[in-house]
């Protein structure tokens, strides 16, 4: 097929076409934009054709002629077929420009009139293809798009390769895709040699689990539970075609797979991966079925399961490409996980049960034996249920809560209705294990299933608590649950304590009322103590302590001590909502960074051992925050990004992780990325009605805006934080540490009086609570106020003191910021010595790996710091309908400043100046800068 047209502007590639391929796509795009060629390669279904189409859509618009061909296996024996696809529609255009012998050979090959062949007309045909491409290129660029090069008929492949190697200097580009197998495959070398010199070979690899989730969501399968998405990723090995087919099969299936069973494999994929299965002997096929049912199959396990000729039968399967050949490895590994799943799905139910029965005695691990026993058994069986419950407990102790959850569900399925414990209790334990593992969707589904059947108050309340827990920071969505949970709890103090503990969280997250949250937590602790529920009592005390710490309440240290008293519950000791976590928060806010780091590192180690995903996300953020405070920006950024990846993978704590990662990006990474993450966190917090994290997210946004050179934006964001925290009852300035940034931004936009007010109010609370680092940062900001007022000597003295104190406390980044501010002041005072005064700031930011701040140093050197914006002249006081920024811009217009000069003075862009002036004109009913001066003069005359 040939497309020839002139385009006015390039087409745009739909981003959904390249999910998970953004970096590869960008590299290929750059190669094509520079005039080069691209060869995409990878296994079947990996997305080569998708990326090829996306690139062709975008870059076909820049070429005058696009030649296309897409070969198939069934047609690969037909000579010159691909050549006919490429040149068929342009033959009439190019034939008159070819020498007679070449024209005759090409027309004969393309039309089939005559008996042209490479043996007879080889040179003429080769030169004809080369001449045809050159003739087309004489009128504009040519893009040759060829998919599935491996199926190109040999004659066409030879001719295209001959021409491609000789097109140097001609505006002809190739965009091709070829199937290759295996990570180390070099099959594309042959095709690469047939491409123009300098062709970029791009290998498409498997998608990550997050990318598979995005792909499924885009194709309408976003409702699948995360645990199912994880299994789709494992079974498909990240192959997008396989993942989509599995997702479609699950979406169409009326019943989900039973716990422990592989995913259902659609017929389309079974045919694709099992085409060689019929070549196996019956016994070899049975051996492979046992291997597919096992978690870690090996020859020894297959022997123990009764497969006496396992080695020979596995060798037969390996020859057919069904098993991977690894001579040094004892395991039996399928060439692709989908082969195992398809083989299992293809087998009749009685053969599957027989395989599991054999493995239930052959497996050495008690957890595996119990799982196979369950899958080999039909109906209820108390003995099987008990063995499964024991295996779930063992998995829980090993730090495998996901395994424990699925074993628990199997135990519940085999538990008789009158069993002790009953099936609902076992389901609830499985749901709690699922929460620990981060499988929130699974936990919620189990809880709702229990609520549809259970009548026992304790089971119902426990299920309601799971529903609330799985809501996370979107607690407003489950408001209707609380009255039902309280009704089911009756007057039982143990059950009431569970509900009131959740009500404490609701007061904080939904209502933003720290006082109510503290009182609810204290009441929950009292109820739990009465009901002798030590675990809930400790969680409630820890929550009370966290709330008091954030409020700056004097009782916080005492409540932490109460929460740390013996006896302790090990499930609370390491939990992210436990007393140790509350103590970590108190240590950070009290400037004890070394001890805080040691505390949270130990907690992270323990939760990883136990497999608690939610706590792991939380403590990764905790370490990242501590490293950021200490000025280790590179390390903080790595940890924050890891936390964000895990949060997005599990769906737990995404808002908080985006907020913290924004702070880390603005300090040590990419400022644009920081702004995007902060805005994402603000949006999510607003959508969730989460007042607590909304203020934190706005604080991160304000900081990123400050680093990005947008002080006006910083002021807008942090003024909102100030209002929010006042309403929340938060008085401790160490909670968000935004006060210094707000004061600095206010100075930059010419509002020193408001900056001083922020400093004075914050200092009062910091002095009361002994927040030394906050006091030092406030002094740094106050020095900027003094400098703006013209008292440079006092400003330098105050900055020097703040710099030393921050260094002594271990706040490396804040110390470096004080050093930069000091350099800017000294640079003004010592004309001609600007470079030397910035040396120390450069050294300190480099030590912190604070790349965005290093760029600020460079900007200060190349464009000396402008004078701080001055207060609005009295002449404009009457123009009270203007906002502060609008008055500033109007005042500078009166002084005769250009838009560029105003932008430099106010630390804003020229576009912002222009937009501000437009608003001024509209508000004042005028049309130009001259009118501003006239209006002000008239007001002054009055």
């Amino acid at each position: 097929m040939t497309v020839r047209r002139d385009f006015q502007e390039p087409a745009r590639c739909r981003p959904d076409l390249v999910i998970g391929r953004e970096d590869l796509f960008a590299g290929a795009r750059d190669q094509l934009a520079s005039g080069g060629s691209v060869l995409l390669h990878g296994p079947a279904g990996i997305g080569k054709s998708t990326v090829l189409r996306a690139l062709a859509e975008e870059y076909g618009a820049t070429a005058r002629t696009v030649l296309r061909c897409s070969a198939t296996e069934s047609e690969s024996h037909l000579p010159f077929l691909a050549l006919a696809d490429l040149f068929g529609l342009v033959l009439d255009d190019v034939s008159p420009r070819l020498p007679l012998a070449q024209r005759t050979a090409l027309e004969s090959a393309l039309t089939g009139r005559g008996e042209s062949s490479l043996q007879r007309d080889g040179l003429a045909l080769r030169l004809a293809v080369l001449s045809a491409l050159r003739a087309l290129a004489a009128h504009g660029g040519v893009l040759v798009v060829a998919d599935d090069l491996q199926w190109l008929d040999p004659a066409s492949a030879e001719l295209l390769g001959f021409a491609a190697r000789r097109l140097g200097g001609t505006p002809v580009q190739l965009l091709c895709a070829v199937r290759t197998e295996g990570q180390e495959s070099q099959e594309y070398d042959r095709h690469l040699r047939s491409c123009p010199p300098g062709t970029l070979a791009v290998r498409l690899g498997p998608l990550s689990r997050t990318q598979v989730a995005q792909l499924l969501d885009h194709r309408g399968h976003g409702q699948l539970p995360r645990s199912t998405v994880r299994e789709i990723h494992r079974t498909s090995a990240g192959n997008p075609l396989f993942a989509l087919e599995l997702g479609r099969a699950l979406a169409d299936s009326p019943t989900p797979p039973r716990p422990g069973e592989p995913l259902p494999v659609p017929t389309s994929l079974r045919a694709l991966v099992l085409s060689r299965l019929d070549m196996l002997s019956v016994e070899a096929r049975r051996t492979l079925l046992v291997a597919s049912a096992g978690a870690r199959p090996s020859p020894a396990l297959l022997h123990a399961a009764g497969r006496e000729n396992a080695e020979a039968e596995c060798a037969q399967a390996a020859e057919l490409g069904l098993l991977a050949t690894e001579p040094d490895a004892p395991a039996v590994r399928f060439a692709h996980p989908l082969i195992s799943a398809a083989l299992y799905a293809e087998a009749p139910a009685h053969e599957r049960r027989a395989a599991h029965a054999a493995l239930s005695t052959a497996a050495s691990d008690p957890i595996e034996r119990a799982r196979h026993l369950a899958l080999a058994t039909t109906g209820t069986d108390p003995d099987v249920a008990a063995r499964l419950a024991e295996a779930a407990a063992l998995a829980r102790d090993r730090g495998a809560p996901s395994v424990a959850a699925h074993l628990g569900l199997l135990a519940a399925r085999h538990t008789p209705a009158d069993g002790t414990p009953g099936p609902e209790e076992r389901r609830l334990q499985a749901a709690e294990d699922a929460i620990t593992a981060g499988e929130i969707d699974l936990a919620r589904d189990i809880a709702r299933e229990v609520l549809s059947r259970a009548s026992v108050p304790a089971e119902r309340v426990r299920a309601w608590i799971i529903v609330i827990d799985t809501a996370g920071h979107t607690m407003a969505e489950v408001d209707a649950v609380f009255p039902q949970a309280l009704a089911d709890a009756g007057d039982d103090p143990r059950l009431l304590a569970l509900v009131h503990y959740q009500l404490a969280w609701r007061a904080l997250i939904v209502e933003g009322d720290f006082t109510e949250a503290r009182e609810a937590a204290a009441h929950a602790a009292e109820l739990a103590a009465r009901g002798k529920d030590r675990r809930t009592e400790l969680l409630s005390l820890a929550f009370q302590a966290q709330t008091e710490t954030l409020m700056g309440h004097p009782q916080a240290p005492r409540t932490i001590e109460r929460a740390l008293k013996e006896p302790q519950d090990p499930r609370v000791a390491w939990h992210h909502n436990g007393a140790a976590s509350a103590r970590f928060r108190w240590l950070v806010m009290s400037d004890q960074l070394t001890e805080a780091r040691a505390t949270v590192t130990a907690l992270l180690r323990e939760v990883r051992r136990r497999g608690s995903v939610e706590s792991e996300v939380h403590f990764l953020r905790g370490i990242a925050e501590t490293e950021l405070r200490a000025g280790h920006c590179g390390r903080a950024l790595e940890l924050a990004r890891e936390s964000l990846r895990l949060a997005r993978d599990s769906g737990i704590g995404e808002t908080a992780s985006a907020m913290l990662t924004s702070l880390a990006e603005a300090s040590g990474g990419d400022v644009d990325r920081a702004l995007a993450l902060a805005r994402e966190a603000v949006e999510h917090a607003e959508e969730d009605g989460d007042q607590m994290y909304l203020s934190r997210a706005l604080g991160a946004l304000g900081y990123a805006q400050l680093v990005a050179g947008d002080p006006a934006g910083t002021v807008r964001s942090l003024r909102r934080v100030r209002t929010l925290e006042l309403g929340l009852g938060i008085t401790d300035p160490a909670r968000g540490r935004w006060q210094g940034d707000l004061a600095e931004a206010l100075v930059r936009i010419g509002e020193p009086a408001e900056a001083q007010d922020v400093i004075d109010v914050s200092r009062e609370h910091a002095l009361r609570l002994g927040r030394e680092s906050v006091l030092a940062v406030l002094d740094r900001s106050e020095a900027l106020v003094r400098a703006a007022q013209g008292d440079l000597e006092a400003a330098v003295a105050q900055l020097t003191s703040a710099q030393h104190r921050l260094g002594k406390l271990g706040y490396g980044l804040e110390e470096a910021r004080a050093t930069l501010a000091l350099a800017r002041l000294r640079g003004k005072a010592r004309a001609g010595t600007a470079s030397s005064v910035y040396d120390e700031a450069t050294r300190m930011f480099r030590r912190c790996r604070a790349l965005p701040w290093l760029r600020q140093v460079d900007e200060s050197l190349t464009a000396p710091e402008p004078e701080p914006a001055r207060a609005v002249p009295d002449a404009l006081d009457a123009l009270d309908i203007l906002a502060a920024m609008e008055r500033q811009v109007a005042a500078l217009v009166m002084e005769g400043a250009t838009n560029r000069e105003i932008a430099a003075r106010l630390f804003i862009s020229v576009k912002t100046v222009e937009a501000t002036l437009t608003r001024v004109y509209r508000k004042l009913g005028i049309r130009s800068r001259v009118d501003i001066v006239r209006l002000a003069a008239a007001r002054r005359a009055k």
Side-chain angles (χ1 to χ4, degrees), residues 371-447:
R371 184 178 75 86
H372 288 301
L373 180 62
L375 294 173
T377 306
T378 57
T380 61
D381 187 320
D383 293 334
V384 172
R387 283 186 58 182
L388 284 163
E390 290 170 5
L394 180 58
R396 199 175 303 119
D397 291 342
R398 287 183 181 177
S402 178
V403 175
H406 288 85
L407 289 169
L409 286 176
L410 285 171
R413 193 166 56 125
H414 289 285
T415 300
D418 58 353
T420 305
E424 306 310 333
E425 187 172 343
R426 282 181 166 148
R427 284 189 181 90
L428 289 168
Q429 179 61 64
E432 289 165 358
D433 286 330
I435 289 176
T436 302
E439 297 186 20
I440 302 302
D441 297 328
L442 176 61
R444 185 187 301 113
D445 291 344
I446 296 171

Side-chain angles (χ1 to χ4, degrees), residues 799-816:
L799 268 176
T800 303
S801 171
Q803 177 195 29
H804 292 325
R805 285 151 55 206
L806 288 166
K808 188 176 179 181
L809 289 167
Y811 284 77
L813 183 59
E814 298 291 2
E815 179 191 8

Side-chain angles (χ1 to χ4, degrees), residues 54-134:
L55 287 167
E57 178 185 341
E58 182 167 342
Y59 281 91
T62 65
R64 187 172 190 275
T65 305
V66 179
L67 308 176
R68 299 177 187 268
C69 70
S70 182
T72 63
E73 185 176 11
S74 62
E75 299 170 338
S76 60
H77 66 286
L78 300 174
F80 305 119
L81 183 62
L83 201 66
D85 283 343
L86 290 171
F87 291 103
L89 297 182
V90 294
L91 185 60
D92 292 343
D93 290 344
V94 298
S95 287
R97 288 176 273 172
L98 301 180
L100 179 61
Q102 296 179 22
R103 180 169 68 246
T104 302
L106 185 59
E107 288 177 348
S108 176
L110 297 187
T111 62
R113 295 192 299 268
E115 298 181 359
S116 181
S117 69
L118 278 180
Q119 286 72 27
R120 198 183 77 175
D121 303 315
L123 181 58
L125 271 173
R126 287 176 172 85
L127 293 175
V129 171
L130 179 60
S131 299
L133 289 171
R134 284 174 173 165

